[in-house]
Amino acid sequence: MKASLIWSSPRPEMTIAVAMRRCYSTKTIEEIEVELEKKGPEYWRFLLTKCLQDKSLDVLEHFTMSLLLEGMAEPEMSAVLRRFQFIRAADLGGSGWLVSVNARTLVELWRDRGGRPLAEPIVAELRRQNVSPLFNDLAFGEGAVAG
Amino acid sequence: MRVKLLYSTDLKAIERALEAKGAHLDTDVLMDHVVYMFEIEDCSRVTTHQLVRHRVASYDQESQRFSAATKEGVVTPPSISANEAALDAYEDGLKAVYSAYEKMVAAGVPKEDARYILPTAIKTKLVMTVSARSLMHIVWQRTALQAQWEIRELAAQLHGLARGATPELWGEIVER
Protein backbone atom coordinates (compact mmCIF):
# COMPACT_ATOMS: atom_id res chain seq x y z
CA MET A 1 0.00 0.00 0.00
CA LYS A 2 1.34 3.46 -0.84
CA ALA A 3 0.20 6.89 0.34
CA SER A 4 1.09 10.22 -1.29
CA LEU A 5 0.39 13.34 0.71
CA ILE A 6 -1.56 15.99 -1.18
CA TRP A 7 -2.02 18.49 1.60
CA SER A 8 -1.87 18.80 5.38
CA SER A 9 -2.70 21.58 7.85
CA PRO A 10 0.07 24.15 8.07
CA ARG A 11 2.28 24.00 11.19
CA PRO A 12 0.49 20.93 12.58
CA GLU A 13 2.35 20.75 15.88
CA MET A 14 1.73 24.43 16.57
CA THR A 15 -1.94 23.90 15.67
CA ILE A 16 -2.28 21.05 18.16
CA ALA A 17 -0.48 23.04 20.87
CA VAL A 18 -2.72 26.08 20.22
CA ALA A 19 -5.84 23.92 20.56
CA MET A 20 -4.53 22.54 23.87
CA ARG A 21 -3.71 25.97 25.26
CA ARG A 22 -7.07 27.36 24.03
CA CYS A 23 -8.79 25.42 26.83
CA TYR A 24 -6.65 26.83 29.62
CA SER A 25 -5.80 30.35 28.49
CA THR A 26 -7.72 33.63 28.35
CA LYS A 27 -5.36 34.91 25.64
CA THR A 28 -6.13 35.35 21.96
CA ILE A 29 -4.78 32.82 19.46
CA GLU A 30 -2.11 35.30 18.33
CA GLU A 31 -0.96 35.73 21.94
CA ILE A 32 -0.99 31.96 22.51
CA GLU A 33 1.16 31.49 19.39
CA VAL A 34 3.68 34.05 20.65
CA GLU A 35 3.72 32.31 24.04
CA LEU A 36 4.29 28.92 22.38
CA GLU A 37 7.07 30.24 20.12
CA LYS A 38 8.75 31.72 23.19
CA LYS A 39 8.52 28.49 25.18
CA GLY A 40 9.93 26.47 22.27
CA PRO A 41 9.81 22.85 21.06
CA GLU A 42 10.43 21.30 24.49
CA TYR A 43 7.14 22.77 25.69
CA TRP A 44 5.39 21.49 22.56
CA ARG A 45 6.84 18.06 23.34
CA PHE A 46 5.42 18.32 26.87
CA LEU A 47 1.95 19.28 25.55
CA LEU A 48 1.88 16.56 22.86
CA THR A 49 3.11 13.93 25.31
CA LYS A 50 0.38 14.93 27.76
CA CYS A 51 -2.31 14.75 25.10
CA LEU A 52 -1.21 11.27 23.96
CA GLN A 53 -0.79 10.00 27.53
CA ASP A 54 -4.06 11.35 28.87
CA LYS A 55 -6.04 10.15 25.86
CA SER A 56 -7.07 13.80 25.29
CA LEU A 57 -6.90 13.08 21.59
CA ASP A 58 -9.60 15.60 20.61
CA VAL A 59 -7.00 18.35 20.13
CA LEU A 60 -5.39 16.22 17.39
CA GLU A 61 -8.57 16.63 15.32
CA HIS A 62 -7.36 20.07 14.22
CA PHE A 63 -4.40 18.51 12.34
CA THR A 64 -5.92 17.21 9.12
CA MET A 65 -4.54 15.82 5.87
CA SER A 66 -5.58 14.52 2.44
CA LEU A 67 -3.72 11.78 0.60
CA LEU A 68 -3.85 9.57 -2.45
CA LEU A 69 -3.77 5.93 -1.45
CA GLU A 70 -2.92 3.05 -3.76
CA GLY A 71 -3.11 -0.68 -3.16
CA MET A 72 -6.09 -0.95 -0.84
CA ALA A 73 -8.95 -3.17 -1.96
CA GLU A 74 -12.55 -2.01 -1.61
CA PRO A 75 -13.55 -4.64 1.01
CA GLU A 76 -10.58 -3.69 3.22
CA MET A 77 -11.41 0.00 2.94
CA SER A 78 -15.09 -0.64 3.68
CA ALA A 79 -14.16 -2.58 6.81
CA VAL A 80 -12.01 0.31 8.05
CA LEU A 81 -14.64 2.94 7.19
CA ARG A 82 -17.29 1.04 9.13
CA ARG A 83 -15.18 1.17 12.29
CA PHE A 84 -13.54 4.58 11.92
CA GLN A 85 -16.32 6.94 10.98
CA PHE A 86 -14.24 10.10 10.67
CA ILE A 87 -12.14 8.87 7.74
CA ARG A 88 -13.35 10.15 4.39
CA ALA A 89 -12.45 7.99 1.38
CA ALA A 90 -13.52 8.46 -2.24
CA ASP A 91 -12.97 5.61 -4.68
CA LEU A 92 -10.99 6.75 -7.74
CA GLY A 93 -11.70 3.55 -9.63
CA GLY A 94 -8.48 1.80 -10.64
CA SER A 95 -6.42 4.78 -9.47
CA GLY A 96 -6.85 4.23 -5.74
CA TRP A 97 -8.51 6.41 -3.13
CA LEU A 98 -8.67 10.02 -2.06
CA VAL A 99 -8.43 9.77 1.73
CA SER A 100 -8.88 12.59 4.24
CA VAL A 101 -8.18 11.95 7.89
CA ASN A 102 -7.31 13.84 11.05
CA ALA A 103 -4.42 13.04 13.36
CA ARG A 104 -6.71 11.70 16.10
CA THR A 105 -8.12 9.06 13.79
CA LEU A 106 -4.62 8.31 12.50
CA VAL A 107 -3.44 7.61 16.07
CA GLU A 108 -6.51 5.44 16.69
CA LEU A 109 -5.84 3.53 13.45
CA TRP A 110 -2.19 3.08 14.43
CA ARG A 111 -3.13 1.67 17.82
CA ASP A 112 -5.68 -0.76 16.34
CA ARG A 113 -4.75 -4.09 14.77
CA GLY A 114 -7.36 -3.72 12.01
CA GLY A 115 -6.50 -0.08 11.35
CA ARG A 116 -2.72 -0.40 11.40
CA PRO A 117 -2.30 -1.51 7.75
CA LEU A 118 -3.93 1.74 6.62
CA ALA A 119 -2.07 3.88 9.18
CA GLU A 120 1.38 2.57 8.26
CA PRO A 121 1.70 3.99 4.72
CA ILE A 122 0.20 7.31 5.88
CA VAL A 123 2.66 7.60 8.77
CA ALA A 124 5.53 6.59 6.43
CA GLU A 125 4.50 9.41 4.09
CA LEU A 126 4.32 11.95 6.94
CA ARG A 127 7.84 10.91 7.89
CA ARG A 128 9.08 11.03 4.30
CA GLN A 129 7.67 14.54 3.85
CA ASN A 130 8.88 15.58 7.33
CA VAL A 131 5.47 17.09 7.97
CA SER A 132 5.25 16.73 11.73
CA PRO A 133 8.49 15.19 13.04
CA LEU A 134 7.83 15.72 16.75
CA PHE A 135 4.28 14.39 16.54
CA ASN A 136 5.44 11.43 14.40
CA ASP A 137 8.09 10.59 16.96
CA LEU A 138 5.76 10.77 19.96
CA ALA A 139 2.73 9.09 18.35
CA PHE A 140 4.36 6.50 16.08
CA GLY A 141 8.10 6.34 16.93
CA GLU A 142 9.93 3.51 18.68
CA GLY A 143 9.32 5.09 22.05
CA ALA A 144 5.79 6.22 21.20
CA VAL A 145 3.77 7.54 24.11
CA ALA A 146 1.31 4.83 25.16
CA GLY A 147 -2.33 5.82 25.34
CA MET B 1 -17.37 38.94 18.01
CA ARG B 2 -14.26 38.09 16.05
CA VAL B 3 -14.06 35.16 13.64
CA LYS B 4 -10.86 34.28 11.83
CA LEU B 5 -10.06 31.48 9.39
CA LEU B 6 -6.86 29.84 10.63
CA TYR B 7 -6.55 27.48 7.67
CA SER B 8 -8.57 25.62 5.08
CA THR B 9 -7.82 22.59 2.91
CA ASP B 10 -6.01 23.40 -0.32
CA LEU B 11 -8.79 22.32 -2.67
CA LYS B 12 -6.73 23.26 -5.73
CA ALA B 13 -4.00 20.83 -4.62
CA ILE B 14 -6.59 18.05 -4.36
CA GLU B 15 -7.97 18.91 -7.79
CA ARG B 16 -4.46 18.90 -9.29
CA ALA B 17 -3.68 15.51 -7.70
CA LEU B 18 -6.92 14.06 -9.06
CA GLU B 19 -6.25 15.48 -12.49
CA ALA B 20 -2.78 13.92 -12.53
CA LYS B 21 -4.46 10.58 -11.83
CA GLY B 22 -7.05 11.18 -14.55
CA ALA B 23 -9.75 11.11 -11.89
CA HIS B 24 -12.61 13.49 -11.23
CA LEU B 25 -14.81 13.86 -8.17
CA ASP B 26 -18.00 15.87 -7.94
CA THR B 27 -18.23 18.87 -5.64
CA ASP B 28 -20.61 16.88 -3.48
CA VAL B 29 -17.84 14.34 -2.73
CA LEU B 30 -15.11 16.96 -2.29
CA MET B 31 -17.16 18.67 0.46
CA ASP B 32 -16.17 15.80 2.77
CA HIS B 33 -12.48 16.34 2.05
CA VAL B 34 -12.30 20.08 2.67
CA VAL B 35 -12.01 21.34 6.24
CA TYR B 36 -11.78 24.79 7.80
CA MET B 37 -10.25 25.70 11.15
CA PHE B 38 -11.71 28.83 12.71
CA GLU B 39 -10.87 30.94 15.72
CA ILE B 40 -14.00 32.41 17.32
CA GLU B 41 -13.64 35.04 20.03
CA ASP B 42 -15.94 37.14 22.14
CA CYS B 43 -19.25 35.52 21.41
CA SER B 44 -21.45 34.47 24.32
CA ARG B 45 -21.69 31.00 25.81
CA VAL B 46 -25.38 31.15 24.83
CA THR B 47 -24.22 30.99 21.23
CA THR B 48 -21.49 28.38 21.71
CA HIS B 49 -24.02 26.12 23.45
CA GLN B 50 -26.03 26.32 20.23
CA LEU B 51 -22.95 25.90 18.02
CA VAL B 52 -21.63 22.72 19.67
CA ARG B 53 -24.97 21.01 19.09
CA HIS B 54 -23.57 20.59 15.56
CA ARG B 55 -21.65 17.52 16.58
CA VAL B 56 -19.73 16.71 13.42
CA ALA B 57 -16.98 19.23 14.10
CA SER B 58 -14.05 19.55 16.49
CA TYR B 59 -14.14 22.18 19.22
CA ASP B 60 -11.69 23.34 21.87
CA GLN B 61 -13.04 26.11 24.09
CA GLU B 62 -11.68 28.29 26.86
CA SER B 63 -12.50 26.58 30.14
CA GLN B 64 -14.09 28.46 33.04
CA ARG B 65 -12.61 25.85 35.36
CA PHE B 66 -9.24 27.54 35.07
CA SER B 67 -9.70 31.10 33.79
CA ALA B 68 -11.15 33.84 35.96
CA ALA B 69 -14.33 35.60 34.82
CA THR B 70 -14.63 39.38 34.64
CA LYS B 71 -17.82 41.36 34.36
CA GLU B 72 -16.43 43.33 31.39
CA GLY B 73 -16.54 40.16 29.33
CA VAL B 74 -20.24 39.77 28.66
CA VAL B 75 -22.43 40.10 25.57
CA THR B 76 -25.47 42.37 25.84
CA PRO B 77 -28.27 41.53 23.39
CA PRO B 78 -29.52 44.53 21.36
CA SER B 79 -33.05 44.07 22.71
CA ILE B 80 -31.65 44.74 26.18
CA SER B 81 -29.18 47.50 25.34
CA ALA B 82 -31.92 49.40 23.49
CA ASN B 83 -34.26 49.31 26.49
CA GLU B 84 -33.19 51.46 29.42
CA ALA B 85 -35.24 49.66 32.07
CA ALA B 86 -34.12 46.25 30.81
CA LEU B 87 -30.50 47.38 30.65
CA ASP B 88 -30.65 48.58 34.26
CA ALA B 89 -32.04 45.22 35.37
CA TYR B 90 -29.41 43.36 33.29
CA GLU B 91 -26.52 45.35 34.73
CA ASP B 92 -27.83 45.05 38.29
CA GLY B 93 -28.09 41.30 37.85
CA LEU B 94 -24.57 41.01 36.41
CA LYS B 95 -23.18 43.17 39.23
CA ALA B 96 -24.76 40.88 41.83
CA VAL B 97 -23.60 37.70 40.10
CA TYR B 98 -20.01 38.85 39.66
CA SER B 99 -19.85 40.16 43.19
CA ALA B 100 -20.95 36.74 44.47
CA TYR B 101 -18.42 35.02 42.13
CA GLU B 102 -15.55 37.18 43.36
CA LYS B 103 -16.55 36.69 47.01
CA MET B 104 -16.63 32.92 46.57
CA VAL B 105 -13.23 32.81 44.84
CA ALA B 106 -11.79 35.08 47.57
CA ALA B 107 -13.25 32.71 50.17
CA GLY B 108 -11.31 29.84 48.62
CA VAL B 109 -14.00 28.24 46.45
CA PRO B 110 -12.30 26.78 43.34
CA LYS B 111 -13.07 28.68 40.13
CA GLU B 112 -14.58 25.51 38.68
CA ASP B 113 -17.25 25.61 41.43
CA ALA B 114 -17.69 29.38 41.72
CA ARG B 115 -18.48 29.45 37.97
CA TYR B 116 -21.82 27.78 38.61
CA ILE B 117 -23.23 31.23 39.25
CA LEU B 118 -21.84 32.86 36.10
CA PRO B 119 -24.19 34.00 33.32
CA THR B 120 -24.30 32.41 29.87
CA ALA B 121 -23.86 35.96 28.53
CA ILE B 122 -20.17 35.59 29.34
CA LYS B 123 -17.81 35.98 26.37
CA THR B 124 -15.80 32.95 25.35
CA LYS B 125 -13.09 31.87 22.91
CA LEU B 126 -12.80 28.65 20.95
CA VAL B 127 -11.27 26.96 17.93
CA MET B 128 -13.41 24.89 15.61
CA THR B 129 -12.44 22.55 12.77
CA VAL B 130 -15.28 21.52 10.50
CA SER B 131 -15.76 19.93 7.10
CA ALA B 132 -17.40 21.86 4.27
CA ARG B 133 -20.38 19.51 4.43
CA SER B 134 -20.98 20.09 8.15
CA LEU B 135 -20.40 23.81 7.82
CA MET B 136 -22.98 24.05 5.04
CA HIS B 137 -25.49 22.44 7.35
CA ILE B 138 -24.61 24.93 10.11
CA VAL B 139 -24.91 27.88 7.73
CA TRP B 140 -28.22 26.60 6.35
CA GLN B 141 -29.75 26.13 9.80
CA ARG B 142 -28.25 29.04 11.68
CA THR B 143 -28.74 31.81 9.16
CA ALA B 144 -32.48 31.12 9.11
CA LEU B 145 -34.67 33.96 10.33
CA GLN B 146 -35.84 31.75 13.19
CA ALA B 147 -32.26 31.44 14.50
CA GLN B 148 -31.08 33.81 17.23
CA TRP B 149 -29.34 37.05 16.24
CA GLU B 150 -25.90 36.17 17.64
CA ILE B 151 -25.52 32.75 16.04
CA ARG B 152 -26.90 34.18 12.79
CA GLU B 153 -24.07 36.71 12.90
CA LEU B 154 -21.57 33.92 13.65
CA ALA B 155 -22.90 31.66 10.88
CA ALA B 156 -22.77 34.53 8.38
CA GLN B 157 -19.13 35.22 9.26
CA LEU B 158 -18.20 31.52 9.02
CA HIS B 159 -19.97 31.38 5.66
CA GLY B 160 -18.17 34.45 4.31
CA LEU B 161 -14.75 33.16 5.29
CA ALA B 162 -15.37 29.64 3.94
CA ARG B 163 -16.79 30.97 0.69
CA GLY B 164 -13.78 33.27 0.30
CA ALA B 165 -11.36 30.36 0.77
CA THR B 166 -13.16 27.82 -1.44
CA PRO B 167 -15.70 29.62 -3.63
CA GLU B 168 -16.05 26.52 -5.86
CA LEU B 169 -17.84 24.65 -3.08
CA TRP B 170 -20.26 27.37 -2.06
CA GLY B 171 -21.76 28.36 -5.38
CA GLU B 172 -25.26 27.11 -4.75
CA ILE B 173 -25.47 27.63 -1.01
CA VAL B 174 -27.27 30.74 0.11
CA GLU B 175 -28.06 32.07 3.54
CA ARG B 176 -31.68 32.00 4.49
Side-chain angles (χ1 to χ4, degrees):
Chain A
M1 215 181 298
K2 187 188 163 210
S4 313
L5 186 68
I6 300 172
W7 175 90
S8 69
S9 341
R11 304 164 77 205
E13 286 140 340
M14 170 65 102
T15 300
I16 297 167
V18 161
M20 284 192 82
R21 289 295 299 142
R22 173 67 292 152
C23 302
Y24 303 106
S25 175
T26 55
K27 294 177 178 171
T28 65
I29 295 293
E30 288 90 342
E31 289 166 340
I32 290 174
E33 284 181 350
V34 169
E35 171 196 284
L36 287 167
E37 292 286 6
K38 216 177 277 179
K39 289 191 172 179
E42 271 315 300
Y43 184 60
W44 301 12
R45 176 179 285 276
F46 162 75
L47 290 176
L48 285 170
T49 302
K50 200 157 174 46
C51 126
L52 290 162
Q53 262 171 355
D54 295 354
K55 298 191 178 71
S56 302
L57 300 185
D58 57 295
V59 292
L60 302 179
E61 293 171 15
H62 303 287
F63 170 17
T64 61
M65 63 202 83
S66 293
L67 309 100
L68 286 173
L69 188 78
E70 292 169 90
M72 190 162 191
E74 203 279 333
E76 285 175 79
M77 181 62 91
S78 295
V80 171
L81 293 176
R82 272 196 299 276
R83 294 189 49 227
F84 296 90
Q85 57 180 318
F86 294 109
I87 302 174
R88 295 288 174 260
D91 192 349
L92 305 179
S95 309
W97 301 86
L98 170 65
V99 174
S100 295
V101 66
N102 65 45
R104 178 199 185 137
T105 300
L106 186 57
V107 168
E108 289 171 345
L109 285 166
W110 182 264
R111 291 175 176 179
D112 180 88
R113 189 184 295 182
R116 189 71 169 253
L118 173 58
E120 276 175 350
I122 298 176
V123 169
E125 176 68 353
L126 289 180
R127 284 189 176 127
R128 199 175 70 80
Q129 300 277 356
N130 201 29
V131 167
S132 46
L134 178 58
F135 171 70
N136 298 345
D137 180 37
L138 292 170
F140 316 115
E142 279 181 21
V145 178
Chain B
M1 185 192 306
R2 190 175 79 125
V3 184
K4 189 175 162 190
L5 180 65
L6 297 176
Y7 75 75
S8 65
T9 300
D10 186 348
L11 178 57
K12 298 267 185 246
I14 291 181
E15 286 170 340
R16 280 195 300 273
L18 292 175
E19 200 180 325
K21 283 269 176 196
H24 172 80
L25 293 174
D26 290 339
T27 302
D28 185 53
V29 177
L30 290 172
M31 286 197 310
D32 287 320
H33 294 268
V34 170
V35 296
Y36 311 91
M37 183 177 182
F38 296 102
E39 168 195 9
I40 302 166
E41 290 184 355
D42 293 344
C43 70
S44 72
R45 281 188 169 257
V46 169
T47 288
T48 59
H49 290 164
Q50 294 173 354
L51 181 65
V52 300
R53 288 185 62 199
H54 297 279
R55 291 174 296 164
V56 189
S58 304
Y59 304 96
D60 279 286
Q61 184 169 10
E62 177 187 2
S63 167
Q64 291 179 326
R65 290 185 66 195
F66 305 102
S67 57
T70 61
K71 63 178 171 295
E72 290 75 29
V74 295
V75 172
T76 304
S79 61
I80 294 175
S81 57
N83 180 324
E84 204 176 322
L87 188 59
D88 283 347
Y90 194 68
E91 286 180 345
D92 286 349
L94 289 173
K95 214 175 286 173
V97 159
Y98 279 96
S99 166
Y101 175 80
E102 282 158 15
K103 278 180 192 160
M104 285 191 282
V105 172
V109 174
K111 287 198 274 286
E112 66 177 2
D113 290 340
R115 68 174 167 161
Y116 276 60
I117 202 167
L118 291 174
T120 48
I122 199 161
K123 285 181 181 173
T124 186
K125 301 183 183 74
L126 71 155
V127 290
M128 169 193 188
T129 298
V130 61
S131 72
R133 185 179 300 284
S134 288
L135 186 58
M136 279 179 196
H137 181 67
I138 293 171
V139 168
W140 177 248
Q141 286 207 316
R142 299 299 185 170
T143 56
L145 287 172
Q146 302 92 316
Q148 197 170 2
W149 62 274
E150 194 183 14
I151 199 159
R152 287 184 71 202
E153 185 187 323
L154 173 58
Q157 288 202 43
L158 295 170
H159 179 194
L161 290 165
R163 183 183 282 274
T166 52
E168 309 90 319
L169 294 185
W170 291 82
E172 293 164 20
I173 304 296
V174 290
E175 292 177 19
R176 290 200 277 175

